[in-house]
Amino acid sequence: MSVPKFAQIKEFILENIQSGEWQENDRVPSENELTSQFQVSRMTARRALSELTDAGILTRSQGQGTFVASFKSQSSLLEIKNIADEVKARNSNYSCTILVMESISAIAPIAIALGVEVDSHVYRSVIVHNENEQPLQVEERFVNPALAKDYLQQDFHSLTPHEYLSQNAPLTEARHTVEAIMPNQEMCEWLNLYNEEPCLQVIRRTWSSQGIVSFARLVSPGSKYRLGGHLTFKK
């Protein structure tokens, strides 16, 4: 079975990053350049770049191009909050629905995001966080087993993944990417969206003092969730 062209482009980009040929913040070929090199449509090239950007491997700058994202930790302007605490603070009832708890072989984007070898085993969970029994957020998380070996044995009805990881691999730093997306059919089903609407997606990588702990994708309906923060500047 032949490999789709967009997947070939993704593999080409990932191989250059993994080999060290392209370093952090290096510019990668544009849509036009990839279109010419692989003899594909711009839509195919755009899909490859978009999927790697969604995974946090690339970053795109309007008018400047597409670049290899920084894989080093950085301080976040957004406070990492426990969603169960957020819901309870609004005097609402928190619950969750656990959809997936599994060990998988890490494909290249996940391996790069977690700083592990391709095809090594990592943990994956998919959990729907509910407010008053209504879906509020889908959390898909990939975890480094070396730093959270008992992750799959936890009862995440009684504590959230964030709480467990904060206790067992205290988080020191994080990196966020925030954007608006249109959900696919599966995401609409998980969020009980009968009419497709824009969603807020947060891609988050977290570190402890021992290394990268997890890589998560958090998706919430735009009509139900928002991000906010408070900054204090020194005089």
Side-chain angles (χ1 to χ4, degrees), residues 83 94-100 124-131 134-141 161 181 183-193 199-204 216-221 224-225:
I83 191 167
Y94 169 81
S95 63
C96 73
T97 305
I98 299 173
L99 301 176
V100 177
R124 174 178 179 255
S125 60
V126 180
I127 297 173
V128 180
H129 300 288
N130 306 308
E131 180 171 3
Q134 294 300 313
L136 177 65
Q137 182 183 87
V138 172
E139 172 189 313
E140 180 180 26
R141 187 182 294 269
I181 66 165
N184 59 24
Q185 182 177 350
E186 183 178 52
M187 188 63 66
C188 287
E189 291 175 359
W190 288 345
L191 289 170
N192 283 350
L193 296 179
C199 290
L200 181 68
Q201 174 176 273
V202 178
I203 300 293
R204 175 180 293 158
R217 181 168 72 115
L218 313 173
V219 179
S220 305
K224 295 183 179 180
Y225 198 77

Side-chain angles (χ1 to χ4, degrees), residues 79-213:
E79 180 184 358
I80 298 180
K81 297 180 179 180
N82 179 31
I83 191 167
D85 292 337
E86 290 186 53
V87 171
K88 293 172 184 176
R90 294 192 287 269
N91 293 320
S92 295
N93 295 317
Y94 169 81
S95 63
C96 73
T97 305
I98 299 173
L99 301 176
V100 177
M101 294 286 288
E102 63 182 355
S103 177
I104 63 170
S105 295
I107 60 175
I110 301 304
I112 291 174
L114 287 177
V116 300
E117 295 293 327
V118 174
D119 292 331
S120 62
H121 284 286
V122 300
Y123 298 150
R124 174 178 179 255
S125 60
V126 180
I127 297 173
V128 180
H129 300 288
N130 306 308
E131 180 171 3
N132 295 331
E133 301 183 358
Q134 294 300 313
L136 177 65
Q137 182 183 87
V138 172
E139 172 189 313
E140 180 180 26
R141 187 182 294 269
F142 301 89
V143 176
N144 184 346
L147 301 181
K149 64 179 182 180
D150 296 325
Y151 183 81
L152 294 182
Q153 282 69 56
Q154 302 308 305
D155 178 10
F156 289 124
H157 292 102
S158 59
L159 84 169
T160 65
H162 172 73
E163 288 176 303
Y164 169 76
L165 294 174
S166 295
Q167 294 170 9
N168 290 269
L171 307 182
T172 57
E173 297 181 77
R175 178 173 183 260
H176 299 273
T177 302
V178 183
E179 64 179 333
I181 66 165
M182 292 303 295
N184 59 24
Q185 182 177 350
E186 183 178 52
M187 188 63 66
C188 287
E189 291 175 359
W190 288 345
L191 289 170
N192 283 350
L193 296 179
Y194 300 105
N195 296 311
E196 196 174 82
E197 66 170 90
C199 290
L200 181 68
Q201 174 176 273
V202 178
I203 300 293
R204 175 180 293 158
R205 297 167 73 214
T206 54
W207 282 255
S208 74
S209 59
Q210 296 179 305
I212 303 172
V213 178

